[in-house]
Amino acid sequence: MVKAMMWKLLWEAWDLRVVILGSLLLQILLIFLALLRERVSTALLNTPLWLAYLLADVTANFAVGLISKSQSDTEGPFADPTLLAFWAPFLLVHLGGPDTITAFALEDNELWLRHLLGLGFQCWAVAYAFFQSFPNPYCSCSQQALPDRGPNYAKLMDEYTSKIEARLPTKIEMIPEPIRVNRAGNAKDWDELSDLKVVQDAYNYFSTFKGLIADLIFSFRERIQSREFFLKRTARDAFQIVEIELNFFYEILYTKATVVQGILGYSLRLISFSLNCAALVVFHLTKNKDFKKFDIGISYTLLVGAIALDIIAFLMVLFSDWTAIALTKSDPSLTNWFIKKLQRLLNVNRDRWPRNLEKKPRWFSPRKIMQIVRRRWSESLSQYNLIHCCLHPRPEWWEATIDLFGLTNLLDGMKYVETVDFTATNGLRDLIFEELKMKSELADDLETAKEIFSARGDWILRFESCTDLIRWINEVDFDESLITWHVATELLYNTVDEGRAHTNNESGDATNPRGTDNKNFRELSKLLSNYMLYLLVMQATMLSTVAGIGQIRFRDTCAEAKKFFHGRKIGKSEEGKNCCMNIFTCKCFCDNEPEKGQGQRKTSCCGLNKCCSKGETGRDELQKIACKSILAVNTVVEPVAVKGDRSKSVLFDASMLAQELEKLGSERMWEIISKVWVELMSYAASHCRANIHMAQLSKGGELLTLAWLLMAHLGLGDQFQISEGHARAKLIVRK
């Protein structure tokens, strides 16, 4: 009992001090971790950032409450009331949070009124603490469109009617609105852009198209100007522009960029820094011998911490893209010497993208950290493979247990999802841009653009004269076609062109997706196939408008695949090894090989034609054999005619599609498949709601969001619904 009372008294003496120091520590964590979250897509970053974001407000609120309590209790083991009043304003600064994060999720912006009310109460509590010490909004909610009432039609028609009634020969002549020239589209040449020019163009298009996040519509002029500019760009420049543009979107939604940028923001920052420095000087000169040494140390820590945070935030502002735009958007001939000095001092012409990345840096190396800081999004492509998932299932009891607690998606992400470096993919960026560019060139009018925009694989099949395959897209729902094409791609990937793909890994050009041995199209098809399935299964909200019963169809297809593999003894054995019935070849892998678990090839099959393998080589072999087993099933009768439509599995429908595709020949087949996947991804990107795209920016971003914005700039979308705009009507009266 005595010991418990001692611990209680000890906590009462130190709780406020611990909480205040903890609040400062959380601010330091937030300012650095938030800087990385748009560039890194991993739970290792998002989880501590989420905890720090939630705890920051709670800690500051708790500390203000303790100060109020301490002020009214003069006999307890608390700090001096004067020091308590001195500490309170720092907690208000902590409640405001650092510049790099004002919202963790997009929904936080819609709760700005609640946060403002809470801040008001905290200001009152701090004012109360000040009163007791004497003797005896930021809003970043989604942009809303102002209503457009158009020209005064009633007034014009009244005048027209009066002229007609006066029997004057009158007619209305329409004067079309002139097409204004976009500054971003006035480039004198179309060479590859410098990094600074990329930032400038991105800001110009951000200023024009920021209404996308509020579902605004645009006129034909915006479409023409943007489309003309992007059609003359390289894939590298186009992707870099949309990356920077999405950075601007991120910063206006999740940070204080709109507040701290500009004269007012700089002035407030300077005033805050000056007052903190003045407070440090005054406190140092004040006779504070009556205070406890530890409390004096806390006061110095808060002062130095506030100054350091101000300096860090100011440096981030100075070296941001916003400042580069502010220093270079004026006419160079009118720029004074001070602006030119600042441009050189801040090195606004610096390289903003990592160069020479042929050697992959190690984790936590300085080069790796600099690469992460300089990139604009996570640059990761998540992969989810249905066949691999079914070949490595969990035990049924464990599956039921995690499903009961709602942990299936979380654990599936840890077990089955892999990530690929987008910048290391051999030509994926170029394939996507060239396909979108080709379609944009053909979409001169809005009707053609809408036709292409609404296509989900059928347009490219008609364009490539593969009309026999259209039924696998037009006659089924989007989710069904996605899973069917995913399984078909995997079947062909593991059974066609195996030898050439493994013997020539360096073929193909990174800037041209057409490799001489067709490996690029084959690899890119698999990357997009696995990525789209990942979105369907793990990021269902992004495909919610087009997915339909995708989750049910995926589940049923997995169930049939697992049952099929179990019946053919293909999959994971009880010993945890990859075992299969090798019915296609007498090659057998045994467990006695010392290196990498790869067995020695034998001339005859052992026991029931059974082979076992371990390691990465074993996984590849297992998937090849599984895919061959599926293709070996006779599908002369369509599965729905035999099984009915209760089960939504498309496993053997995909086998039929794979056999149809194989008739095209290897080279043409992979080219068609890759283009179909680009169109499927484009359809999903353009039909995903803007607020969902914006929500992904705080989690590292997705390739789907880049494709969405790129399509809008190329004029492929439903945002351009104003064909004439405000034409001016003029009354002409003839005598």
Side-chain angles (χ1 to χ4, degrees):
M1 186 68 177
V2 175
K3 187 175 292 187
M5 288 297 297
M6 289 178 60
W7 280 108
K8 181 181 178 182
L9 290 174
L10 184 62
W11 172 245
E12 288 179 349
W14 290 93
D15 56 357
L16 178 58
R17 299 169 176 87
V18 171
V19 171
I20 286 179
L21 292 176
S23 180
L24 178 61
L25 177 61
L26 288 172
Q27 297 301 306
I28 296 172
L29 288 175
L30 281 175
I31 199 170
F32 289 110
L33 291 180
L35 183 67
L36 298 176
R37 71 170 180 155
E38 63 175 325
R39 299 168 172 84
V40 178
S41 177
T42 173
L44 294 177
L45 173 70
N46 289 330
T47 301
L49 178 62
W50 173 69
L51 289 173
Y53 177 78
L54 293 180
L55 288 174
D57 283 355
V58 174
T59 305
N61 288 333
F62 183 56
V64 171
L66 288 176
I67 288 176
S68 300
K69 177 185 176 183
S70 303
Q71 293 281 17
S72 59
D73 188 356
T74 58
E75 298 181 358
F78 300 105
D80 187 275
T82 306
L83 275 181
L84 294 179
F86 182 68
W87 292 348
F90 292 101
L91 297 174
L92 279 184
V93 176
H94 296 174
L95 280 171
D99 293 351
T100 52
I101 180 170
T102 57
F104 183 82
L106 195 61
E107 293 77 12
D108 293 337
N109 290 318
E110 306 301 331
L111 302 176
W112 69 271
L113 193 58
R114 181 186 300 178
H115 292 303
L116 182 62
L117 183 63
L119 184 60
F121 277 111
Q122 296 308 320
C123 290
W124 174 84
V126 171
Y128 174 75
F130 269 110
F131 176 76
Q132 289 288 89
S133 67
F134 291 121
N136 252 359
Y138 169 67
C139 169
S140 178
C141 54
S142 299
Q143 177 184 348
Q144 295 182 352
L146 295 175
D148 186 358
R149 62 187 179 185
N152 195 333
Y153 173 78
K155 181 180 178 181
L156 176 69
M157 293 309 296
D158 286 342
E159 293 180 5
Y160 176 75
T161 302
S162 65
K163 303 294 184 188
I164 293 296
E165 290 176 350
R167 297 185 177 182
L168 295 175
T170 307
K171 70 174 184 177
I172 298 177
E173 183 175 313
M174 305 303 295
I175 303 175
E177 186 179 5
I179 297 177
R180 294 184 294 270
V181 179
N182 191 323
R183 290 175 298 170
N186 280 339
K188 295 181 180 179
D189 57 75
W190 301 101
D191 296 332
E192 190 171 280
L193 302 177
S194 66
D195 285 2
L196 177 60
K197 190 64 170 62
V198 167
V199 174
Q200 293 172 326
D201 290 332
Y203 179 78
N204 290 335
Y205 283 109
F206 160 75
S207 301
T208 302
F209 285 89
K210 59 186 176 183
L212 284 171
I213 63 177
D215 294 324
L216 296 187
I217 57 176
F218 300 90
S219 71
F220 69 103
R221 285 179 304 280
E222 280 93 3
R223 180 179 186 271
I224 291 173
Q225 294 157 3
S226 175
R227 177 171 169 265
E228 178 185 359
F229 177 81
F230 276 86
L231 284 178
K232 296 178 180 179
R233 299 268 64 88
T234 63
R236 176 184 178 273
D237 286 345
F239 267 84
Q240 287 180 349
I241 288 173
V242 296
E243 287 174 14
I244 295 284
E245 197 173 347
L246 288 173
N247 282 171
F248 287 128
F249 279 118
Y250 169 84
E251 289 175 355
I252 65 170
L253 290 172
Y254 296 99
T255 73
K256 297 180 183 177
T258 54
V259 176
V260 300
Q261 297 294 333
I263 300 299
L264 179 61
Y266 297 145
S267 301
L268 292 175
R269 177 71 64 195
L270 181 60
I271 292 172
S272 172
F273 177 75
S274 302
L275 291 177
N276 282 328
C277 291
L280 178 61
V281 173
V282 171
F283 182 79
H284 181 70
L285 297 177
T286 302
K287 295 180 180 179
N288 47 28
K289 296 180 180 179
D290 296 334
F291 302 145
K292 296 178 181 178
K293 290 185 178 180
F294 191 81
D295 292 343
I296 295 174
I298 291 178
S299 301
Y300 276 117
T301 302
L302 289 173
L303 284 165
V304 173
I307 293 172
L309 290 175
D310 269 349
I311 292 174
I312 293 171
F314 186 62
L315 290 175
M316 288 180 177
V317 170
L318 283 180
F319 288 95
S320 68
D321 293 330
W322 298 89
T323 302
I325 293 296
L327 292 175
T328 57
K329 67 180 180 181
S330 59
D331 188 347
S333 62
L334 301 177
T335 303
N336 57 38
W337 66 271
F338 180 70
I339 297 296
K340 292 179 180 178
K341 287 285 186 183
L342 279 179
Q343 290 177 356
R344 287 195 293 269
L345 179 64
L346 300 179
N347 193 19
V348 295
N349 287 299
R350 64 186 180 276
D351 291 340
R352 288 171 168 80
W353 278 270
R355 299 299 202 273
N356 303 321
L357 297 180
E358 63 275 358
K359 238 181 130 180
K360 191 173 181 182
R362 300 186 307 273
W363 272 102
F364 301 115
S365 66
R367 187 165 171 259
K368 181 65 176 180
I369 294 174
M370 285 303 301
Q371 180 181 330
I372 292 175
V373 170
R374 294 176 71 182
R375 68 191 186 193
R376 301 299 175 151
W377 61 297
S378 65
E379 295 183 356
S380 63
L381 205 63
S382 297
Q383 304 281 287
Y384 195 102
N385 190 277
L386 186 144
I387 299 296
H388 171 68
C389 173
C390 296
L391 286 172
H392 301 82
R394 300 186 183 93
E396 291 185 6
W397 66 270
W398 179 238
E399 193 73 38
T401 302
I402 63 175
D403 186 57
L404 179 65
F405 290 98
L407 299 175
T408 302
N409 272 8
L410 176 64
L411 296 180
D412 279 355
M414 298 171 62
K415 181 177 175 66
Y416 299 121
V417 175
E418 301 175 353
T419 56
V420 175
D421 187 356
F422 176 73
T423 59
T425 57
N426 197 15
L428 182 56
R429 177 185 64 188
D430 304 85
L431 172 66
I432 294 171
F433 181 72
E434 292 302 324
E435 283 301 298
L436 295 179
K437 182 178 177 181
M438 179 267 292
K439 293 178 180 179
S440 179
E441 289 172 342
L442 297 175
D444 288 328
D445 56 277
L446 291 179
E447 289 72 19
T448 306
K450 289 179 181 179
E451 178 186 352
I452 296 175
F453 157 77
S454 60
R456 50 187 177 92
D458 52 313
W459 188 90
I460 195 65
L461 290 178
R462 286 195 298 270
F463 184 81
E464 296 287 347
S465 301
C466 298
T467 54
D468 293 342
L469 300 172
I470 292 181
R471 74 184 186 96
W472 299 102
I473 291 177
N474 281 355
E475 297 180 10
V476 296
D477 296 331
F478 176 81
D479 58 292
E480 182 174 351
S481 65
L482 192 152
I483 298 176
T484 303
W485 281 82
H486 168 80
V487 177
T489 301
E490 187 65 18
L491 295 178
L492 294 170
Y493 182 87
N494 285 283
T495 57
V496 177
D497 283 350
E498 298 175 41
R500 283 189 290 174
H502 285 283
T503 56
N504 190 359
N505 288 328
E506 301 299 326
S507 62
D509 184 5
T511 60
N512 179 11
R514 295 176 180 268
T516 54
D517 67 348
N518 208 38
K519 178 181 181 293
N520 273 355
F521 283 128
R522 178 175 181 266
E523 296 298 330
L524 298 180
S525 298
K526 182 177 175 65
L527 286 173
L528 285 176
S529 170
N530 290 348
Y531 176 64
M532 290 304 297
L533 188 71
Y534 162 79
L535 293 178
L536 180 69
V537 178
M538 305 302 296
Q539 296 286 352
T541 54
M542 297 200 75
L543 302 187
S544 58
T545 58
V546 294
I549 58 170
Q551 296 284 339
I552 297 174
R553 206 179 302 277
F554 172 79
R555 181 196 64 193
D556 290 356
T557 304
C558 284
E560 184 174 23
K562 290 175 183 177
K563 183 178 180 181
F564 174 78
F565 294 149
H566 180 75
R568 299 297 177 95
K569 295 184 173 58
I570 303 173
K572 204 170 184 180
S573 70
E574 295 180 357
E575 292 81 11
K577 302 172 185 175
N578 295 332
C579 296
C580 57
M581 293 294 294
N582 193 345
I583 60 176
F584 300 99
T585 176
C586 287
K587 181 173 68 174
C588 181
F589 293 99
C590 300
D591 295 334
N592 57 5
E593 181 72 13
E595 296 182 0
K596 298 183 181 180
Q598 182 177 342
Q600 182 179 8
R601 183 169 180 173
K602 297 185 177 180
T603 55
S604 60
C605 297
C606 55
L608 296 179
N609 215 12
K610 183 178 181 181
C611 69
C612 297
S613 59
K614 298 183 294 184
E616 195 65 25
T617 305
R619 168 182 165 178
D620 292 342
E621 283 296 323
L622 188 63
Q623 293 206 188
K624 291 174 186 176
I625 294 172
C627 292
K628 289 179 180 179
S629 300
I630 295 173
L631 287 173
V633 175
N634 189 347
T635 54
V636 66
V637 179
E638 293 198 8
V640 68
V642 177
K643 303 187 305 175
D645 62 352
R646 182 178 182 86
S647 171
K648 301 303 179 183
S649 172
V650 295
L651 183 65
F652 292 103
D653 298 86
S655 177
M656 295 175 63
L657 172 60
Q659 294 173 45
E660 289 291 324
L661 285 166
E662 199 168 2
K663 296 176 183 177
L664 298 174
S666 175
E667 182 175 354
R668 180 164 168 75
M669 176 189 72
W670 286 118
E671 184 176 356
I672 295 298
I673 292 175
S674 65
K675 292 182 177 182
V676 168
W677 276 116
V678 171
E679 193 162 302
L680 285 170
M681 184 187 71
S682 304
Y683 180 83
S686 58
H687 286 78
C688 177
R689 293 191 296 272
N691 65 320
I692 297 178
H693 280 302
M694 294 300 103
Q696 290 299 318
L697 296 181
S698 65
K699 304 172 185 176
E702 289 287 353
L703 175 62
L704 199 74
T705 302
L706 272 71
W708 164 72
L709 189 55
L710 188 57
M711 289 178 67
H713 286 315
L714 288 169
L716 301 174
D718 61 352
Q719 300 92 356
F720 306 98
Q721 298 180 13
I722 305 174
S723 58
E724 294 297 336
H726 294 329
R728 292 177 295 170
K730 183 178 181 181
L731 281 178
I732 299 178
V733 181
R734 295 181 180 177
K735 295 183 179 179

